[in-house]
Structure formats: structure tokens, C-alpha cells
């Protein structure tokens, strides 16, 4: 669909579930409304078929209707019951497609480069990504340990979890505390 709205800016912090990008929902909304109408139509037909089965049940017991006619009415009710299940699945699928028109943050973090603009056409199987989100909490830091300290480090790790303080190079920020894994 067509990108209707970009709700974020590059470098913005987002929470899980926040709206990132809105794709034109009108075709999906129309399909959803159509599926709801079809489901309602089948529900009415099923209700009528169930009422017919109930009416003809007593007539069948009194031999006032042929077995073939009663069987046909029961078959019609079973077929409509199956169609009702199919229509429920169609409504659920249409709702899912409608939900896909709102792209939400799967994780909390900071947005990276936006690779789309309002008015762009996007497809499900396009190569690349619309926007990246970098997880900030927890954040994993990799660093090397000099070999002469490795034996002592392993000895302390055997006693329990080790706490580390990490300060990014060249900054005056306070150190971040974490666990050594």
C-alpha cells in the first residue's frame, strides 16, 4: 500500500507498540467490512436453516414429510454451519490484514534511518526494511580481556555473577552497571 503517515523521526526513542508507519488502510477496511457483511448474511441463513430443521423434526417424526426432504433440510443446515466457520476465518483474516496497515514497534529502542517517505508504495516482499530500531535496554557490550587476567576472571565468575561498570570511550558520562556474561 501507500505510506500515508510516518509517525516517527530518525533517532527518536520509541516504546514497544508505538505507531511507526501508517499504510493506507482503506482497501483493508473495505475487505474487513465486506467479510463482516458476508458473515452476517450467512448467520441469518444459518438461523433460518436451524429453524427449518426444528420445524421439520416434528413433521418427520409424524411421517408428514419425506425422509429425503428432511435429510436435504438437515444437509442445508450443516453446509451453512460450515460456511459460518469459513466466514469467521475470513473476518479474522481481513482484520489481520487491516492491522498490518499500522506498523508498530516490535521492541522498545531508538529508531535508525527511515527508508520510506510519505507517498511511497511498499509491498510485503520488498527487499530491505522500512526503519530499524536499535535496542538500548538491555544493551550488550563486547570487550576483550587480557590473557593474564583470564584465570582470575574465571575464578571469580565461578563464585557468582560479576558486576561490571562500562564507560564509553571519550565521554564524561557516569558508568553504566551491568552483569558480565
Amino acid at each position: 500500500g501507500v505510506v500515508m503517515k510516518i509517525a516517527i523521526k530518525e533517532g527518536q526513542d520509541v516504546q514497544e507498540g508505538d505507531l511507526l508507519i501508517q499504510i493506507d488502510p482503506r482497501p483493508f477496511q473495505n475487505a474487513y467490512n465486506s467479510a463482516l457483511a458476508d458473515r452476517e448474511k450467512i448467520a441469518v441463513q444459518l438461523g433460518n436453516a436451524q429453524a427449518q430443521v426444528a420445524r421439520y423434526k416434528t413433521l418427520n417424526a409424524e411421517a408428514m414429510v419425506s425422509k429425503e426432504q428432511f435429510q436435504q433440510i438437515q444437509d442445508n443446515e450443516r453446509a451453512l454451519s460450515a460456511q459460518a466457520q469459513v466466514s469467521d476465518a475470513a473476518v479474522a483474516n481481513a482484520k489481520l490484514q487491516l492491522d498490518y496497515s499500522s506498523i508498530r514497534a516490535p521492541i522498545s529502542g531508538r529508531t535508525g534511518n527511515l527508508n520510506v517517505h510519505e507517498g511511497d508504495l511498499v509491498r510485503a516482499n520488498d527487499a530491505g526494511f522500512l526503519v530499524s530500531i536499535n535496542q538500548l535496554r538491555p544493551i550488550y557490550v563486547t570487550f576483550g580481556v587480557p590473557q593474564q587476567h583470564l584465570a582470575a576472571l574465571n575464578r571469580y565468575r565461578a563464585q557468582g555473577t560479576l558486576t561490571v561498570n562500562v564507560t564509553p570511550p571519550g565521554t564524561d558520562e557516569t558508568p553504566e552497571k551491568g552483569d558480565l556474561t
Side-chain angles (χ1 to χ4, degrees), residues 115-133:
N115 293 326
V116 293
H117 302 89
E118 289 183 9
D120 286 355
L121 178 66
V122 294
R123 290 176 289 231
N125 296 327
D126 280 350
F129 54 91
L130 304 177
V131 64
S132 62
I133 300 176

Side-chain angles (χ1 to χ4, degrees), residues 5-8 12 14-23 99 101-105:
K5 174 184 175 185
I6 297 178
I8 54 157
Q12 176 182 335
V14 294
Q15 298 300 315
E16 182 178 340
D18 286 355
L19 178 66
L20 303 175
I21 298 170
Q22 179 68 52
I23 297 172
D99 290 346
S101 67
S102 297
I103 299 172
R104 300 192 174 276

Side-chain angles (χ1 to χ4, degrees), residues 58-92:
T58 56
L59 293 174
N60 184 49
E62 297 171 4
M64 301 286 285
V65 65
S66 71
K67 289 189 185 287
E68 182 180 313
Q69 187 178 9
F70 183 62
Q71 184 65 43
Q72 187 176 17
I73 291 170
Q74 285 180 318
D75 290 346
N76 184 40
E77 189 244 351
R78 282 195 299 275
L80 285 169
S81 180
Q83 280 184 334
Q85 290 177 348
V86 169
S87 70
D88 288 344
V91 167

Side-chain angles (χ1 to χ4, degrees), residues 21-175:
I21 298 170
Q22 179 68 52
I23 297 172
D24 185 5
R26 292 175 299 184
F28 306 110
Q29 184 67 52
N30 292 340
Y32 178 65
N33 292 343
S34 177
L36 285 174
D38 286 345
R39 181 173 69 178
E40 185 62 29
K41 175 184 159 189
I42 290 170
V44 168
Q45 291 173 342
L46 178 60
N48 185 38
Q50 289 169 337
Q52 272 193 318
V53 167
R55 273 194 306 270
Y56 277 81
K57 193 177 243 180
T58 56
L59 293 174
N60 184 49
E62 297 171 4
M64 301 286 285
V65 65
S66 71
K67 289 189 185 287
E68 182 180 313
Q69 187 178 9
F70 183 62
Q71 184 65 43
Q72 187 176 17
I73 291 170
Q74 285 180 318
D75 290 346
N76 184 40
E77 189 244 351
R78 282 195 299 275
L80 285 169
S81 180
Q83 280 184 334
Q85 290 177 348
V86 169
S87 70
D88 288 344
V91 167
N93 187 46
K95 177 71 171 127
L96 180 63
Q97 295 300 319
L98 179 59
D99 290 346
Y100 284 157
S101 67
S102 297
I103 299 172
R104 300 192 174 276
I107 61 170
S108 297
R110 184 166 296 148
T111 60
N113 291 338
L114 275 167
N115 293 326
V116 293
H117 302 89
E118 289 183 9
D120 286 355
L121 178 66
V122 294
R123 290 176 289 231
N125 296 327
D126 280 350
F129 54 91
L130 304 177
V131 64
S132 62
I133 300 176
N134 297 306
Q135 181 177 326
L136 300 177
R137 292 197 193 328
I139 190 166
Y140 296 96
V141 178
T142 304
F143 56 91
V145 176
Q147 185 175 358
Q148 69 262 23
H149 301 300
L150 191 57
L153 181 67
N154 285 333
R155 191 171 57 251
Y156 290 123
R157 281 186 63 196
Q159 296 173 2
T161 303
L162 293 179
T163 302
V164 293
N165 294 325
V166 177
T167 306
T171 65
D172 294 333
E173 294 183 28
T174 56

